[in-house]
């Protein structure tokens, strides 16, 4: 199990069970394990998700795509990744509430 530290300084767990779910359900992201953790630590934008989830989005310029990580912060000391996937469309997030955006 690896952890990433969110923008709110919360350790976010990527458990073996979640990694199996992600890499099986979204095989296109299977080679981006560390980029998933990096998306939480250094996103370009964080959106509000459903049921108190957060959505971290990181751009992979060399791919022309986005790594999207859905996670929860359960407390100030613990959180976990729900799922992650690659998207080609930033528009699918633009209707969601922006909670944090990287300054250019």
């Amino acid at each position: 199990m690896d952890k990433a530290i969110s923008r709110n300084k919360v350790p976010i767990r990527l458990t073996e069970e979640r990694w199996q779910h992600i890499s099986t359900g979204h095989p296109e992201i299977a080679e981006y394990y560390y980029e998933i953790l990096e998306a939480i630590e250094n996103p370009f934008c964080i959106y509000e998700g459903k049921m108190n989830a957060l959505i971290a989005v990181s751009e992979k310029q060399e791919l022309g795509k986005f790594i999207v990580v859905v996670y929860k912060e359960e407390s100030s000391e613990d959180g976990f990744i729900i799922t992650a996937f690659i998207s080609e469309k930033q528009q699918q997030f633009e209707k969601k509430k922006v909670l944090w955006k990287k300054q250019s």
Side-chain angles (χ1 to χ4, degrees):
M1 176 176 66
D2 284 307
K3 293 182 181 180
I5 306 300
S6 73
R7 298 294 308 169
N8 293 328
K9 309 290 186 227
V10 176
I12 307 297
R13 296 176 279 124
L14 177 51
T15 64
E16 183 64 31
E17 182 276 328
R18 283 287 89 193
W19 177 242
Q20 289 303 317
H21 166 82
I22 292 165
S23 60
T24 302
H26 305 284
E28 72 281 0
I29 202 166
E31 63 187 79
Y32 296 104
Y33 182 89
Y34 292 105
E35 287 85 347
I36 290 170
L37 297 170
E38 176 67 21
I40 291 172
E41 292 190 347
N42 191 24
F44 84 80
C45 202
I46 299 174
Y47 297 94
E48 183 177 65
K50 295 178 182 177
M51 299 173 60
N52 297 319
L54 301 168
I55 303 168
V57 180
S58 177
E59 187 172 13
K60 296 303 291 175
Q61 293 181 334
E62 65 274 10
L63 297 175
K65 298 178 182 181
F66 302 92
I67 292 181
V68 181
V69 183
V70 181
Y71 66 99
K72 276 196 174 184
E73 295 177 346
E74 290 287 287
S75 70
S76 61
E77 290 91 32
D78 185 49
F80 58 93
I81 292 174
I82 298 168
T83 193
F85 56 93
I86 293 178
S87 176
E88 295 179 359
K89 302 173 187 167
Q90 185 175 358
Q91 299 88 335
Q92 75 184 64
F93 307 107
E94 291 176 347
K95 294 179 182 176
K96 296 186 179 296
K97 180 179 179 182
V98 175
L99 300 176
W100 181 87
K101 190 166 189 173
K102 189 178 220 174
Q103 300 299 313
S104 314

